[in-house]
Amino acid sequence: MKILTVNCVYEIYSTGKIIKNIAEFLADRDCEFFYCYEFGEKAGASNAFRISGRYEYYFYYLWSRMIGLPYGTGYLSTMRLIRKMKKVSPDIVHIHCPNANAVNLYWLLNYLK
């Protein structure tokens, strides 16, 4: 089974550590686990994909506050995320904590439905 998770960070802070623990738990159960995260250091793991760079993230952060739509920005990074989803073709998509404004949740949920 392939599982792809969307989180704001990779293996740091509280949500990143939770995702890491879930991945370690599922590794013993014959599951492939893929990370898509919004910002932070580029991971060296082959199953981790950063979908936005630092400046792009900060642009979306400011832009979302200017227009008052916190989950409606992140156009380029959301397109990258959807391309990764098409490539990986996961059985389950776990949207954990995409609250860093780099994922347009409206587009993502519309794609997933």
Side-chain angles (χ1 to χ4, degrees):
M1 176 182 300
K2 290 182 181 180
I3 300 171
L4 182 134
T5 187
V6 179
N7 194 29
C8 54
V9 293
Y10 174 70
E11 293 187 345
I12 57 172
Y13 307 125
S14 60
T15 60
K17 290 176 183 175
I18 290 169
I19 295 299
K20 182 180 179 182
N21 290 337
I22 292 171
E24 289 171 356
F25 176 79
L26 292 174
D28 299 335
R29 284 150 182 81
D30 199 30
C31 292
E32 287 184 79
F33 201 84
F34 298 91
Y35 300 88
C36 284
Y37 61 103
E38 298 179 38
F39 70 93
E41 295 297 318
K42 192 158 178 98
S46 63
N47 63 340
F49 311 106
R50 186 177 67 182
I51 58 172
S52 68
R54 180 188 324 188
Y55 297 113
E56 182 182 1
Y57 162 74
Y58 286 120
F59 172 77
Y60 292 138
Y61 177 85
L62 293 172
W63 181 249
S64 68
R65 277 148 182 77
M66 287 171 48
I67 64 173
L69 193 59
Y71 301 109
T73 59
Y75 309 111
L76 295 174
S77 53
T78 304
M79 287 190 289
R80 282 187 211 104
L81 174 61
I82 291 172
R83 266 190 264 133
K84 290 292 180 188
M85 286 182 177
K86 288 179 181 179
K87 184 177 179 181
V88 170
S89 185
D91 299 313
I92 297 172
V93 176
H94 175 213
I95 303 172
H96 187 76
C97 186
N99 62 353
N101 301 304
V103 173
N104 187 320
L105 288 180
Y106 306 109
W107 285 7
L108 179 61
L109 294 175
N110 190 40
Y111 169 75
L112 289 174
K113 76 173 184 177

